[in-house]
Amino acid sequence: MAKAKKVRDDVDESLIEATDIVSLLSEPGFAEIYDREITQIECREGFELPSVDLSESLPAVLCASSEEPKVDRCKIRLWSDFKPIEGDTLEKVIADIAKCESCDLCKTRNKTVPGAGSSYAKLMLIGEGPGADEDATGIPFVGKAGQHLDKILAAAGFKRDEVYICNVVKCRPPNNRDPKMEEMAVCSQFLQRQIHLIKPCLIACLGNIAVKYVIGPKAPGITRIHGQWFDSVFGIKTMPMYHPSYLLRDNSREKGSPNWEMWQDIKALKQKYDSI
Ligand code: SF4
């Protein structure tokens, strides 16, 4: 893991989310199933992570609990265990998602939201889960946050139909709560198939919750690591970015504001994209 040469001096420490967010997302005893080292593989000058002992960031409750998680462990599939399905297609993935009842999110969904975009996308954007507008339409990122994301992508020179946009979980969590780590792990069977079929070169991970799944539960908060490049559970270079709904909370475009930072990140992402 990269060691710090310089800690960002423009970050309000109060904005750095506590890494024990994992404790809010996970059933006791779950973490050891999914635990992984966080590997930073590239950074822009002045943005390198401080050297922190991430092993201390996991809450004790996750490390030493006799309680069994409620989700069936046999349904949890790690990328290292992934076995491609012969003859698989994105259409089959969508059909399997539509009839999936592997977690309780199926009980409250209206429509499944598998993902949308090019089957040959070099870039995959991954959010945490569908919201109300997505649940109503079956299309990812179509609400106000999605429209904001569209503007950001267009401003950077991306066409929405040249990338692939999806979420870790394909059904809306009730009342827009965060998806639990177990739900993400169970649902990842579909994300794994999508990634295997599309074979993106780059992933942009939108928001703290998706980062905890795609990069790892020990990943520091998004305000600290957005815009950096990390190895991901899929072995694909991944940049954490702010979730567009977070950006809607602050209209400022001033230097240092979340929207300004997003603009720096999307420009860096486009530069990398164009170089591939
Ligand atoms: S969230 Fe995923 S695993 Fe859960 S029911 Fe929906 S498609 Fe199945």
Side-chain angles (χ1 to χ4, degrees):
M1 184 185 144
K3 297 291 179 195
K5 293 172 188 159
K6 180 178 176 184
V7 178
R8 289 179 62 180
D9 53 11
D10 58 341
V11 172
D12 178 353
E13 287 291 317
S14 67
L15 292 177
I16 297 175
E17 296 89 342
T19 51
D20 66 1
I21 191 170
V22 178
S23 66
L24 300 174
L25 300 173
S26 302
E27 297 287 347
F30 177 78
E32 73 276 12
I33 299 174
Y34 186 64
D35 203 7
R36 73 190 297 270
E37 289 302 315
I38 308 299
T39 308
Q40 185 177 10
I41 52 179
E42 201 175 308
C43 66
R44 300 204 302 277
E45 190 180 354
F47 278 74
E48 199 165 358
L49 281 175
S51 178
V52 290
D53 183 357
L54 292 166
S55 64
E56 291 181 359
S57 64
L58 265 185
V61 65
L62 294 176
C63 303
S65 171
S66 56
E67 286 186 55
E68 285 296 311
K70 287 176 189 150
V71 170
D72 186 350
R73 287 180 190 227
C74 71
K75 289 180 181 168
I76 295 171
R77 293 177 179 85
L78 302 181
W79 186 242
S80 53
D81 301 328
F82 176 73
K83 295 199 174 39
I85 299 170
E86 203 176 330
D88 203 12
T89 63
L90 282 177
E91 290 71 27
K92 286 182 184 174
V93 178
I94 291 168
D96 288 346
I97 290 170
K99 61 189 180 201
C100 177
E101 297 181 349
S102 293
C103 81
D104 284 348
L105 297 184
C106 71
K107 295 176 185 168
T108 48
R109 73 186 176 210
N110 286 303
K111 289 192 175 178
T112 53
V113 187
S118 168
S119 357
Y120 304 99
K122 282 197 298 183
L123 170 65
M124 182 179 271
L125 294 103
I126 304 177
E128 58 194 59
D133 293 309
E134 291 75 23
D135 181 61
T137 60
I139 303 169
F141 287 94
V142 288
K144 279 187 183 167
Q147 290 161 22
H148 192 58
L149 178 64
D150 284 348
K151 286 182 197 162
I152 293 167
L153 289 172
F158 288 110
K159 297 190 186 95
R160 181 154 167 152
D161 58 6
E162 75 177 294
V163 301
Y164 194 86
I165 303 181
C166 62
N167 289 294
V168 181
V169 296
K170 313 301 187 187
C171 303
R172 182 193 181 198
N175 303 316
N176 285 351
R177 71 158 167 78
D178 294 332
K180 296 175 183 171
M181 193 66 90
E182 299 90 307
E183 291 161 348
M184 292 194 280
V186 172
C187 199
S188 70
Q189 57 183 303
F190 302 118
L191 182 58
Q192 289 172 351
R193 287 168 65 189
Q194 288 171 315
I195 287 176
H196 176 74
L197 291 164
I198 296 168
K199 297 184 173 46
C201 305
L202 301 172
I203 291 174
C205 203
L206 303 174
N208 228 357
I209 309 300
V211 164
K212 296 292 178 188
Y213 177 72
V214 175
I215 293 176
K218 291 178 185 172
I222 190 81
T223 54
R224 183 182 287 184
I225 65 171
H226 70 88
Q228 319 299 308
W229 287 104
F230 290 84
D231 188 18
S232 62
V233 293
F234 307 110
I236 296 170
K237 197 176 271 198
T238 297
M239 179 187 278
M241 304 179 89
Y242 288 125
H243 194 283
S245 61
Y246 175 72
L247 299 174
L248 290 177
R249 294 182 206 158
D250 183 345
N251 284 330
S252 172
R253 303 293 189 268
E254 295 294 311
K255 184 174 181 181
S257 67
N259 275 290
W260 180 86
E261 291 189 317
M262 181 69 168
W263 180 235
Q264 311 313 308
D265 295 346
I266 196 85
K267 284 192 294 184
L269 177 66
K270 185 67 163 63
Q271 199 173 23
K272 178 70 70 184
Y273 180 91
D274 288 341
S275 72
I276 292 173

